[in-house]
Amino acid sequence: FCYNEHHCDPYAWGDTFPSCHPLLEEHHSPINLDYQMSRNESLGALHLEGFDTVQTGHWTLKNNGHSVVLQVGSGMSVSGGGLPGVYHTIQLHFHWGSLSTNGSEHTVDRRRYPMEMHIVNMKSIHPNVSAALEDPTGLAVLGFFVDVVYADNVHLGHITRKLSSVAYKGWKNTNNPTWLLLPEHNMSQYYRYHGSLTTPPCSPVVIWTLYEVPIYASWSQLEQFASEMYSTEEGEEDEKPLHNNFRHIHPTFSRSVYASRD
Ligand code: GRE
Ligand code: ZN
């Protein structure tokens, strides 16, 4: 699948992946988030386990041709905040724009942020992701908007420093980075709704948590994502940039979108 070319862009995903078809499925992501249209409900803060300690080893940064993915080892999980169970963290990845466009997937009051980070967690009762994709609440994804400021984000720097080592599709870097995953961050305000993967197969199995307060990156860090990455393999004749990897906005239909502010 692809984002920016004819015949394989997000509007055509449904031809190959039935669940991506907009008319057949009412649980698509992303959506526009609108505080006025949301239902206030105190769901409580999520409990993040293993995110605050320095992680050593078992990290693999990878370019899969659609995003930069950081696969994580065991030891990190998410629970609480109204989630039906404990979810183990499996990977995080990013969606971004180009040098002149913003690239978050969800929008807030129609505003698109420069970038969006997804931390993907799988319900711990499942042996693997394919089993989780059969469960309507099989995945819980934490979404963080990324806004641009003057200073580098030192935490994100652990990833941006390694982007050039995963410039082409299929490239991996398994250099055991040691770093703190998230900066100290206000995580008490978030949106919650039931939606889908934003990439094929678009399975409608995701409990989404979108934090209202963004994290930050410098312009040069965002620029590295937009300009250093390729969606093609090394040596391919038709070299293509990896950018604008976000799906279009979908209707909310009859779904409830909750705003939790504790
Ligand atoms: C993605 O590929 O972008 C993705 C996943 C899993 C959950 C949400 C999501 O792979 O956006
Ligand atoms: Zn994503």
Side-chain angles (χ1 to χ4, degrees), residues 177-200:
T178 60
W179 42 277
L180 301 170
L181 184 62
L182 291 173
E184 280 183 21
H185 185 260
N186 179 349
M187 293 173 60
S188 64
Q189 298 165 20
Y190 60 83
Y191 290 96
R192 162 66 49 77
Y193 78 100
H194 193 260
S196 71
L197 305 188
T198 63
T199 56

Side-chain angles (χ1 to χ4, degrees), residues 5 9 30 42 74 90 109 113 120 134 143 164 189:
E5 293 143 56
D9 70 17
S42 287
S74 55
I90 48 181
D109 297 329
Y113 281 92
V120 182
E134 303 296 319
S164 58
Q189 298 165 20

Side-chain angles (χ1 to χ4, degrees), residues 15-55:
D15 299 345
T16 317
F17 305 94
S19 289
C20 298
H21 201 285
L23 299 178
L24 294 178
E25 177 54 59
E26 297 200 339
H27 282 84
H28 285 288
S29 294
I31 61 170
N32 176 56
L33 302 165
D34 181 336
Y35 185 69
Q36 301 298 330
M37 304 276 282
S38 317
R39 290 169 60 165
N40 283 308
E41 183 139 326
S42 287
L43 299 168
L46 277 76
H47 179 65
L48 274 53
E49 185 78 40
F51 281 62
D52 54 343
T53 50
V54 175
Q55 305 283 329

